[in-house]
DNA sequence: CTAAATGTTTAGACAAATCTAAAAAAATAA
DNA sequence: TTATTTTTTTAGATTTGTCTAAACATTTAG
């Protein structure tokens, strides 16, 4: 068993190495954990002693298979709780992350399995992120960043790569929620902003926003 | 805000002074917290500094109004989660206490209010204990110990004063669950065991068991 | 009412997770 | 390739909650 703090470190290391298999740097972890590099080094040593990460001084860390499974399990719990909060307690998608940050550390296998069943085994969370099954398996959801689409192309919104409440509220206001169909009308040369048609309406989003909207073509 | 440990101390002090307004003794707290008296003294000082308890050396502690409200709020959360686990996730009444011990420390007022609503504002938990409202108010549920009933008298099971899984499973097996009507047939002189009729069937429970069954006459 | 037993507090230490300041290694630039 | 900058690690402290051993206070028994 790991402490809540260890679980948070593992989860952050997992997310930082999700899209590349480089070793994760001490400073990157420190930033996400909102702590100092010195504290990260201390914790890394502890995780290495527990065989949850591979660590060589000055070379960064990688999760071991054991560490990876532990991290994925935390992610599974986080996302299941987010589904619960939205589907059952009627929270908005921008309100659930912080509460799930706490709930994800409740450790009861039985609880999570029954919650999963209660929610009818959801495949993705309110932000479109995949929910691993109890063995840590999940299908990566294929996507293209909206900012990469050419004018004329169409797609469905399947996720977001930024989870701040501010960003999610902004999308909500624009009607850009999960499952919505969109067509790219034009990309402004000047600032890269994207002109869209969603439900017969014209909508414009900045390049920055478009980068964080994930689309299935 | 208080730490998880502080919340547990407050809750234990609350339960220990629930049925009498004596000051609570250091050793009593130590036993419930499964820790040593010295540790309790340390924590008591901290709680006193935070005005959550009144404390005079060697004289035990009492909750302040503030401490009482904090404790009751933890109890509210505990019992609401227990209802959730039984009503929504189909746990048995003997399986929920330990999980609720963890869930009770999730601190989000919004979460608890929505959970309360989702559960249709239950008045009591799976063990018959009253659930305080968000202002800490609740009606004490009146009861008599089954061990105090005279032969011939009838009543409804409204609660239990022992929450161990072993005890609850035992009651379940005997069919002595919340809401069941019973009639006392006889009390054995020799060992104080109680002969009951429940749903036309004869059931015998030991004096010890009868002491922990709470009945509405 | 004194002595023994019981209950409580203090003193000093420890493990977990953090911090600051300084030293050491690695990466980058001149 | 040497010097500078950036990144990482170490050393030593701090906070929270715990512990043991010993001192102190209160209660109970003779
Ligand atoms: Mn989240
Ligand atoms: Mn999410
Ligand atoms: Mn309980
Ligand atoms: Mn209960």
């Amino acid at each position: 068993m790991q402490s809540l703090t260890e679980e948070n470190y593992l989860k952050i290391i997992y997310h930082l190495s999700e899209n590349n298999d480089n070793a994760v740097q001490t400073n990157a972890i420190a930033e996400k954990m909102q702590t100092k590099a010195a504290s990260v080094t201390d914790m890394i040593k502890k995780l290495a002693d527990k065989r949850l990460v591979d660590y060589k001084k000055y070379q960064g860390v990688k999760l071991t298979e054991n560490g990876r499974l532990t991290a994925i399990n935390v992610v599974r719990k986080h996302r299941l709780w987010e589904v619960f909060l939205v589907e059952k307690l009627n929270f908005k998608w921008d309100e659930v992350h912080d509460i799930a940050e706490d709930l994800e550390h409740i450790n009861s296998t039985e609880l999570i399995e029954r919650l999963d069943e209660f929610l009818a085994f959801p495949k993705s969370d309110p932000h479109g992120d995949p929910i691993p099954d109890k063995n840590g398996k999940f299908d990566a959801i294929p996507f293209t960043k909206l900012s990469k689409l050419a004018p004329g192309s169409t797609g469905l919104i399947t996720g977001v790569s930024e989870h701040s409440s501010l960003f999610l509220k902004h999308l909500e206001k624009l009607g850009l929620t999960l499952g919505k169909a969109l067509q790219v009308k034009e990309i402004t040369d000047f600032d890269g902003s994207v002109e869209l048609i969603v439900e017969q309406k014209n909508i414009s989003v900045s390049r920055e926003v478009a980068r964080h909207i994930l689309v299935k073509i």
Side-chain angles (χ1 to χ4, degrees), chain A:
Chain A
M1 251 313 93
Q2 318 69 224
S3 70
L4 178 153
T5 313
E6 288 167 357
E7 286 191 344
N8 280 333
Y9 270 92
L10 291 173
K11 191 181 59 161
I12 280 170
I13 296 167
Y14 172 74
H15 284 310
L16 286 170
S17 47
E18 219 174 345
N19 297 311
N20 61 82
D21 57 32
N22 307 334
V24 175
Q25 298 195 121
T26 304
N27 268 348
I29 298 170
E31 192 189 327
K32 293 279 181 192
M33 279 293 293
Q34 311 228 66
T35 185
K36 300 298 151 98
S39 310
V40 174
T41 301
D42 287 344
M43 180 54 77
I44 280 173
K45 286 177 180 168
K46 187 154 82 165
L47 295 174
D49 286 346
K50 295 191 175 186
R51 314 281 143 156
L52 293 163
V53 299
D54 287 324
Y55 169 58
K56 273 192 236 85
K57 263 196 199 178
Y58 295 100
Q59 305 307 130
V61 282
K62 282 187 183 183
L63 294 174
T64 61
E65 183 55 15
N66 220 308
R68 206 185 69 93
L69 286 172
T70 306
I72 285 179
N73 195 246
V74 176
V75 169
R76 165 171 159 81
K77 289 184 283 174
H78 182 103
R79 292 180 182 165
L80 281 173
W81 281 117
E82 285 190 343
V83 173
F84 169 72
L85 294 171
V86 168
E87 299 287 311
K88 302 294 182 181
L89 300 195
N90 297 118
F91 280 95
K92 302 253 186 69
W93 72 339
D94 63 285
E95 300 173 320
V96 295
H97 181 78
D98 290 350
I99 301 175
E101 279 301 300
D102 290 338
L103 286 165
E104 73 187 11
H105 301 291
I106 303 290
N107 281 315
S108 161
T109 308
E110 193 62 25
L111 171 62
I112 293 305
E113 287 190 19
R114 293 198 188 210
L115 180 65
D116 197 11
E117 186 181 351
F118 181 57
L119 300 172
F121 305 103
K123 285 257 179 284
S124 61
D125 85 356
H127 312 104
D129 293 309
I131 299 178
D133 70 16
K134 63 179 165 180
N135 302 309
K137 299 241 186 303
F138 63 95
D139 297 323
I141 296 167
F143 65 84
T144 314
K145 293 181 179 177
L146 173 55
S147 56
K148 294 275 161 83
L149 292 201
S153 50
T154 59
L156 292 174
I157 300 178
T158 57
V160 291
S161 58
E162 154 75 42
H163 295 72
S164 72
S165 183
L166 229 63
F167 176 71
L168 296 173
K169 274 203 184 104
H170 179 61
L171 291 194
E172 183 104 41
K173 201 175 296 175
L174 294 172
L176 297 172
T177 49
L178 291 199
K180 286 286 173 73
L182 56 78
Q183 175 167 36
V184 177
K185 252 190 113 179
E186 191 185 339
I187 298 165
T188 310
D189 280 346
F190 173 62
D191 61 359
S193 66
V194 182
E195 309 294 317
L196 300 168
I197 306 179
V198 179
E199 293 180 332
Q200 284 90 278
K201 286 194 343 207
N202 292 298
I203 290 170
S204 170
V205 298
S206 69
R207 192 211 320 247
E208 180 66 8
V209 166
R211 248 201 289 269
H212 292 302
I213 297 177
L214 310 179
V215 169
K216 186 176 76 177
I217 308 171

